[in-house]
Amino acid sequence: MGGQTNQVLGSTPTGTATPEVIDLTMEDALARALKYNLALTEGDENVREQRAERLRALSQLLPQVNVRPSVSEQQVNLAAFGFSGFPGVPSVVGPFTVYDARASLSQSLLNIRNLRNHRAAREDVTAAEFMARDVREQVTLVATGLYLQAISGSVRLEAQTAQVSTAEAAYRQAADRRAAGTVPGIDVLRAQVEWQAEQQRLIYYEGEFEKQKLSLARAIGLPPGQQFRLADDMKYERQSAGLTIESTLQQAYQSRADYRAAEALVRAAELAKSAARAGRYPSASLDANYGVIGPALNSMHGSFAVTGAVDIPIFQGGRVQADVESAEAVLRRRRAELEDLRGRIDAEVRTAFIDLRASSRQVAVAVENVDLAKQQLQQARDRFAAGVTNNLEVVQAQQAVALANENYIAALYTSNVAKATLARARGDAEQSIKDFLRRVK
């Protein structure tokens, strides 16, 4: 699992970094991720490997045709085979030359084991194709999350820049009033400490934002060193009220590619077990060849052979039973994995609904808290300017605004991620997120 996670966060960077700063929308980021992400490359290669295995299994059912021209120089010691002492028959024959040009055909007429192995290989290909589709869903979710994280970092940076400006203005106000002799020095010191604390937070957010952009660039395959700006902002859209857990679960079991891949793997394991049992069954084959043979190229004559055979297993030393037990173990494992995945999908859908409900309520509360915190700050600054109180209220109000902004950004990020996670849980993240981007433009 960890290796797969690292692949989703990686990519195959393409192109050369340009000196100008490019604009990057979320739609652009998704398009690049679905083209250059490393996990997609690995998924495509897995499909190719399974198709190769299917062709290998198919080759056991198709005729094998070969052409073999040959020339040989031979000398035979007849005495070694008991032919000696016959009048007129030399004990050593040759050397003599034999020319032979021959086509041969070998065909399995009936082999139930090979037939079922081929069907199992087809199910393995189906599973690999569904897994590749599931990787696209994972890549879509990861790229969306990284872009949303970067947007949150950008908004957080803007909010913190405003906080620094506010803290600086409060410091200037306190310094002016200190110069006028209307407030003690502690007010100036308190305002300066708050100003510097806000500057420290700004420096921290700047670093975090750059790292978030770097993670996004790595996942979508941007050229190393390419500078870009986020062209989209924080968006919020209420989830459809008609969506229920039951309908979402029903859609997930029908649409999720990983679930359908697990079902295909169970079918492949069932066929593999059936193929192992078929090792006890008789099989029929046909071997034929035709060619020309002779001691010289100008004195060759046609010859052929046709052999039909039926192989009836009598005793195989427990090999078939071992194959059956091994296939049975794989089948039990695949069925357990399918049931585990079904339970995991149920948990993922329910968790996404919980997160979605909670984050939607958090967004509503956070919006109101931001407005209230700004009003509180304005009133505190007015009270301080009027000499009603010291600037402790101003500093506390500044911190309340900072906390309210942070809560709003976090709630909005959580809400958007919850929507993307729900889309992933029901198996249509790629299409749902693209539709969402079109609606909010």
Side-chain angles (χ1 to χ4, degrees), residues 407-420:
N407 289 339
Y408 170 72
I409 295 169
L412 193 53
Y413 169 74
T414 302
S415 176
N416 285 327
V417 169
K419 293 186 182 74

Side-chain angles (χ1 to χ4, degrees), residues 140-397:
T140 298
L141 180 62
V142 169
T144 300
L146 290 174
Y147 195 96
L148 291 173
Q149 188 179 58
I151 292 177
S152 298
S154 175
V155 174
R156 190 174 284 112
L157 191 57
E158 292 175 2
Q160 188 57 34
T161 301
Q163 283 293 107
V164 171
S165 298
T166 300
E168 182 182 7
Y171 166 74
R172 302 297 180 194
Q173 183 183 33
D176 291 342
R177 294 202 60 201
R178 175 70 179 89
T182 56
V183 298
I186 186 65
D187 282 348
V188 179
L189 183 60
R190 186 185 296 118
Q192 186 176 10
V193 169
E194 180 63 19
W195 180 24
Q196 291 180 342
E198 297 294 349
Q199 289 176 322
Q200 286 181 324
R201 277 192 284 271
L202 177 61
I203 295 171
Y204 171 77
Y205 288 146
E206 288 173 343
E208 289 299 300
F209 179 52
E210 291 302 318
K211 289 190 289 185
Q212 290 162 355
K213 290 174 62 180
L214 184 60
S215 296
L216 175 61
R218 279 283 297 123
I220 65 176
L222 281 178
Q226 176 65 61
Q227 297 299 312
F228 66 93
R229 68 176 64 89
L230 302 176
D232 287 336
D233 54 12
M234 297 279 277
K235 302 177 177 71
Y236 178 72
E237 183 186 57
R238 289 187 179 275
Q239 192 67 31
S240 173
L243 201 61
T244 65
I245 292 179
E246 289 72 21
S247 63
T248 302
L249 282 172
Q250 184 177 5
Q251 180 180 347
Y253 296 135
Q254 294 174 351
S255 303
R256 278 192 54 155
D258 56 345
Y259 189 75
R260 298 186 67 182
E263 289 178 324
L265 288 175
V266 169
R267 293 193 298 270
E270 290 172 344
L271 287 167
K273 178 183 176 181
S274 179
R277 286 176 173 171
R280 300 188 178 99
Y281 303 161
S283 62
S285 61
L286 172 70
D287 292 289
N289 70 77
Y290 177 83
V292 291
I293 188 170
L297 293 177
N298 58 359
S299 59
M300 300 178 73
H301 192 276
S303 64
F304 68 90
V306 178
T307 303
V310 176
D311 293 323
I312 303 175
I314 301 299
F315 177 73
Q316 296 174 307
R319 179 181 61 83
V320 172
Q321 184 60 34
D323 291 343
V324 171
E325 291 182 2
S326 177
E328 175 66 27
V330 173
L331 177 58
R332 287 196 297 267
R333 188 181 305 117
R334 293 289 182 256
R335 286 173 173 168
E337 290 171 352
L338 178 63
E339 290 305 313
D340 174 71
L341 180 57
R342 187 177 183 87
R344 178 151 51 90
I345 290 173
D346 182 273
E348 288 177 359
V349 168
R350 295 180 187 278
T351 300
F353 267 89
I354 292 171
D355 290 341
L356 195 57
R357 286 195 297 265
S359 60
S360 297
R361 295 169 60 188
Q362 287 174 344
V363 170
V365 174
V367 169
E368 185 176 356
N369 282 346
V370 169
D371 291 337
L372 292 174
K374 289 180 179 179
Q375 294 177 28
Q376 178 186 358
L377 177 59
Q378 185 59 50
Q379 291 180 12
R381 294 185 65 178
D382 292 343
R383 284 166 55 82
F384 178 64
V388 177
T389 184
N390 58 27
N391 71 341
L392 179 60
E393 288 186 9
V394 176
V395 171
Q396 292 174 337

